[in-house]
Amino acid sequence: MYDYLWLIPFFPLVGFVFNGLFGKKIRNEAIIGGIGTLMIFLSFLVSCGNFYALLHDSEKVHQQVIASWMSVGSLQIDWGFLLDPLSALMIMVVTGVGTLIHLYSIGYMHGESGFYRFFAYLNLFCFSMLMLVLGNNALVMFVGWEGVGLCSYLLIGYYFDKKSAGDAAKKAFVVNRIGDFGFLCGLLTLFWTLGSKGVWTFNFVEIAENAHLLESGGIAVTVITLAFFLGACGKSAQIPLFTWLPDAMEGPTPVSALIHAATMVTAGVYMIARMNGLFAMSPDTMMTIAVVGACTALFAATIGLAQNDIKRVLAYSTVSQLGFMFLAMGVGAFTAGIFHLMTHAFFKACLFLGSGSVIHGMHHAYHKAHLHDDPQDMRNMGGLRKKMPITFWTFLVSTIAISGIPFFSGFFSKDEILWWAFAGERGHWLLWLAGAVAALMTAFYMFRLVFMTFFGEQKTDARAKDHIPESGLTITIPLMVLAALAAAGGFLGVPHVLGNFFGHMPNYIEHFLAPVFEHSQKLNGIAVKPELAHSVALEFSMMGASIGIAVFGILGAWFMYIKNPALPGKFVTSFPGLWKTVYNKWYIDELYDAVFVNNCKRIGTFLWKGFDVRVVDGIVNGTAWVVKGIGSGLRYTQSGFLHNYAMGMVVGVVVIVGYYILGK
């Protein structure tokens, strides 16, 4: 089965080539969307086969070399793929969720003039992400890393005739280049550091086998991992490189679901997990990751409290949830971080696609009523649960999951992260506190979204109220599948303390990923604090606290937006400065513009008008004028008359003879 690993990225590449070359001529949405969806579905089937084979294989690491890429001295770089439990789980998420998003897009993008272009980009995006997670060496990973960056630019800027979309695409591209610089610095430093020990390689397996050659906790491994972490911050939108992700909402809603749930933003988390052996060797880097993750989770959650655009609330929710994943990585809970990545893919994809269903219905209503209100503003919604029951129930299930209500998927993965943040040897109670407060805010702003959108009186203009339909099957089927996964997916990672109450149910995720993380965790002393390791009472207490936090957040949202809907307005009136600051995202974009963007523009303008025009052009033009002047003077010596030339020869002879006579 492993011989067909190459088919997983190959199928979406075929879809990209087909729709990219022939889609414009075909103009048949059923064929274009069908081909695009079929290709990623075929990748999913091959991924399932490889996943199943790996489950029943005692050998958990398999490499497939497709071709020799380059050979320099003793350095041999192959274009190859790596299948182990980590990459196997990732390809299931990418292709599975990706297939549902493709199917959804057939209905959502109906009637778009760039329909073929959109599906070509979606297939290319999935191909790039699959190259990233399957690459057996860092250079193949980097090809996929840059590929998803390119595709994000193309898809975020899909409506390229809108200035805001073009600006958002450029912003995503530029900010990610900062992260890419860090990735390359880390990669080259690692290459030369290992090379100085006699090991010249980019292969992940060989890097893991030779990581012991680096000094644990030394300067080299700290610099390498911090540089890689900068790359992860760019791709996965962590402080300070998070500002591009909320603006990515300018792309069509399926793009948001693909970027936020299954592909690009998980790349940074995956990269750290892939090189967990290196990161575990640097406690300073690990603590930096944990602190940045906790701060990002908390900071982004505060912004989500005040947003009114339904997609923007979900965007800041994604930034916050990614912060939880980085918090997990920083405290050494690699399995918990990947587990949350998986559950987040389920409920966040469902939430984004659900928001798209709502926007689709609002667009339809406004079009029928000839209105031009904002279909994404939650203040224009309300009472939609009666109009869109499937969208409502699937959205509600995913909201319950992200809020951390028991036995839904988010409860298991988020609770595991908070436990490690508190009880892990590399954790700290302040990290737990930051995560707990962020979880409280998450429950509040997500149910705020639900109550404003689906409950209360319908605020839609009276002319549009009767024109809001439930979405078609191509939209609702993916919603129902994702909602089911969001509800039940957490049982793959039931913690041991709860597993004993379910007939000794094992933690499947932990067992499956153990070959990837267990060795580096044991080697670097990453574990739960010994005095807390067997404290069942404490673990249940922490679990109860997590449940209480979620319930408190939900009740707070209910009280403010259902029981006493006038209360939010009173709060804004009482604290206008605080509300305005949070609503404007703490003015981080304005700060970045003032400190970085505008100063870079000034430097660029100076280099253009000051240096290039005056200095470079001055030297070039000055040289030209000198040559022109000399040429203008010398041209008078070329009269074209023979007697003038003869006279010049005589004068020359006299000068030469005179020089020799006088010289003697």
Side-chain angles (χ1 to χ4, degrees):
M1 189 68 196
Y2 305 126
D3 292 338
Y4 300 101
L5 196 61
W6 60 275
L7 287 174
I8 297 174
F10 176 74
F11 282 127
L13 181 62
V14 170
F16 162 69
V17 172
F18 178 85
N19 282 326
L21 292 179
F22 308 112
K24 190 174 183 179
K25 296 179 180 179
I26 293 174
R27 296 182 180 179
N28 187 310
E29 291 186 358
I31 295 176
I32 295 170
I35 291 293
T37 306
L38 176 63
M39 290 299 104
I40 191 65
F41 179 66
L42 291 175
S43 290
F44 174 67
L45 293 180
V46 179
S47 298
C48 288
N50 281 278
F51 185 85
Y52 181 80
L54 195 68
L55 278 176
H56 297 84
D57 192 344
S58 58
E59 177 62 44
K60 296 299 183 182
V61 179
H62 297 273
Q63 296 192 68
Q64 182 185 33
V65 175
I66 304 301
S68 176
W69 189 358
M70 62 184 81
S71 180
V72 181
S74 59
L75 174 64
Q76 173 64 42
I77 301 175
D78 297 317
W79 194 276
F81 300 132
L82 169 66
L83 185 72
D84 67 351
L86 178 59
S87 60
L89 183 64
M90 288 297 296
I91 60 176
M92 290 292 288
V93 171
V94 173
T95 58
V97 177
T99 298
L100 295 173
I101 293 172
H102 277 70
L103 177 61
Y104 175 98
S105 300
I106 295 175
Y108 189 86
M109 299 299 291
H110 171 66
E112 290 280 348
S113 59
F115 191 88
Y116 78 95
R117 178 166 52 92
F118 182 80
F119 272 88
Y121 293 164
L122 281 189
N123 277 163
L124 182 62
F125 208 145
C126 290
F127 163 77
S128 299
M129 188 65 190
L130 290 168
M131 292 302 303
L132 190 155
V133 300
L134 281 174
N136 72 337
N137 64 73
L139 291 185
V140 175
M141 172 188 271
F142 190 69
V143 171
W145 188 275
E146 290 300 293
V148 294
L150 168 65
C151 293
S152 69
Y153 172 81
L154 295 173
L155 286 168
I156 294 169
Y158 173 78
Y159 297 113
F160 55 83
D161 53 343
K162 286 175 56 181
K163 185 179 185 303
S164 57
D167 290 343
K170 288 185 288 185
K171 186 176 184 179
F173 196 79
V174 171
V175 172
N176 273 277
R177 298 293 73 73
I178 300 171
D180 295 350
F181 173 74
F183 186 103
L184 284 174
C185 287
L187 182 61
L188 295 176
T189 306
L190 173 63
F191 177 70
W192 283 106
T193 305
L194 282 179
S196 66
K197 309 290 185 181
V199 180
W200 299 94
T201 185
F202 288 105
N203 186 279
F204 289 125
V205 174
E206 294 174 1
I207 289 172
E209 290 174 348
N210 293 281
H212 66 278
L213 298 176
L214 303 175
E215 180 187 355
S216 182
I219 295 177
V221 73
T222 300
V223 170
I224 290 167
T225 50
L226 283 175
F228 277 125
F229 175 55
L230 177 60
C233 283
K235 275 290 181 287
S236 296
Q238 296 296 285
I239 292 174
L241 302 179
F242 70 95
T243 55
W244 69 270
L245 191 57
D247 289 0
M249 299 302 97
E250 290 292 339
T253 302
V255 173
S256 304
L258 193 63
I259 291 177
H260 287 246
T263 56
M264 183 170 173
V265 296
T266 62
V269 180
Y270 171 78
M271 184 263 287
I272 293 176
R274 170 56 64 206
M275 293 192 277
N276 66 90
L278 284 177
F279 281 89
M281 293 173 64
S282 177
D284 292 337
T285 299
M286 294 282 281
M287 182 53 66
T288 301
I289 295 172
V291 171
V292 170
C295 290
T296 303
L298 185 58
F299 183 76
T302 63
I303 301 176
L305 296 172
Q307 302 305 305
N308 295 315
D309 185 304
I310 188 171
K311 287 175 65 177
R312 196 164 288 273
V313 174
L314 296 176
Y316 280 105
S317 169
T318 298
V319 177
S320 182
Q321 295 304 306
L322 288 166
F324 276 98
M325 297 176 208
F326 276 86
L327 172 59
M329 295 293 162
V331 298
F334 299 112
T335 299
I338 295 299
F339 183 31
H340 195 57
L341 183 156
M342 182 191 76
T343 60
H344 178 263
F346 299 153
F347 56 69
K348 186 50 64 68
C350 186
L351 289 169
F352 263 113
L353 297 184
S355 72
S357 180
V358 170
I359 295 167
H360 190 264
M362 296 293 287
H363 264 301
H364 183 274
Y366 289 157
H367 176 72
K368 289 288 186 180
H370 305 289
L371 299 173
H372 300 285
D373 295 340
D374 185 355
Q376 297 182 196
D377 194 327
M378 296 185 297
R379 293 170 295 185
N380 295 334
M381 301 175 188
L384 295 184
R385 72 184 189 281
K386 299 175 182 178
K387 300 285 187 179
M388 312 180 76
I390 297 176
T391 300
F392 164 66
W393 284 108
T394 55
F395 201 98
L396 181 62
V397 167
S398 295
T399 302
I400 292 172
I402 194 176
S403 299
I405 297 301
F407 310 121
F408 288 79
S409 61
F411 164 74
F412 294 107
S413 57
K414 189 183 295 184
D415 188 71
E416 186 74 6
I417 293 172
L418 292 177
W419 166 249
W420 272 85
F422 182 84
E425 290 188 340
R426 299 197 181 187
H428 193 278
W429 68 269
L430 284 174
L431 295 174
W432 174 86
L433 181 62
V437 175
L440 171 65
M441 293 182 179
T442 299
F444 178 87
Y445 68 66
M446 285 305 304
F447 269 88
R448 170 182 177 265
L449 186 157
V450 169
F451 293 144
M452 290 182 68
T453 303
F454 296 103
F455 286 81
E457 294 183 4
Q458 194 169 339
K459 306 177 190 69
T460 311
D461 189 288
R463 291 169 290 173
K465 284 185 177 181
D466 297 328
H467 300 292
I468 301 177
E470 177 61 277
S471 300
L473 287 177
T474 55
I475 291 178
T476 55
I477 288 175
L479 290 178
M480 290 185 282
V481 174
L482 289 167
L485 292 171
F491 284 95
L492 294 174
V494 177
H496 299 292
V497 70
L498 275 182
N500 295 329
F501 289 89
F502 291 100
H504 299 285
M505 177 183 289
N507 188 322
Y508 297 105
I509 289 289
E510 183 178 81
H511 177 73
F512 182 65
L513 294 176
V516 182
F517 302 128
E518 201 170 59
H519 177 70
S520 66
Q521 287 178 319
K522 289 181 178 179
L523 187 65
N524 295 282
I526 298 175
V528 173
K529 296 170 184 174
E531 65 272 20
L532 303 178
H534 303 290
S535 179
V536 176
L538 177 63
E539 193 161 353
F540 270 113
S541 298
M542 299 290 293
M543 196 176 298
S546 296
I547 296 170
I549 286 168
V551 171
F552 186 75
I554 295 170
L555 290 177
W558 173 82
F559 183 76
M560 292 185 68
Y561 291 92
I562 299 296
K563 179 69 174 177
N564 193 356
L567 197 57
K570 293 179 180 178
F571 179 86
V572 171
T573 303
S574 302
F575 304 98
L578 176 61
W579 178 84
K580 187 176 181 181
T581 301
V582 177
Y583 177 76
N584 287 291
K585 303 159 286 185
W586 298 97
Y587 295 104
I588 296 299
D589 282 312
E590 289 77 4
L591 175 64
Y592 283 5
D593 283 343
V595 176
F596 300 110
V597 177
N598 292 336
N599 284 327
C600 286
K601 287 181 179 178
R602 292 188 187 100
I603 293 172
T605 301
F606 166 75
L607 292 175
W608 164 36
K609 294 184 177 180
F611 185 76
D612 186 57
V613 173
R614 296 184 181 181
V615 179
V616 176
D617 288 355
I619 293 173
V620 172
N621 293 334
T623 303
W625 279 105
V626 170
V627 172
K628 181 180 179 181
I630 294 172
S632 298
L634 291 176
R635 69 189 179 91
Y636 292 109
T637 64
Q638 303 297 319
S639 63
F641 295 110
L642 182 61
H643 60 271
N644 287 342
Y645 298 146
M647 183 63 183
M649 294 174 62
V650 171
V651 171
V653 171
V654 170
V655 170
I656 293 171
V657 173
Y659 171 77
Y660 278 100
I661 293 174
L662 295 176
K664 294 181 178 181

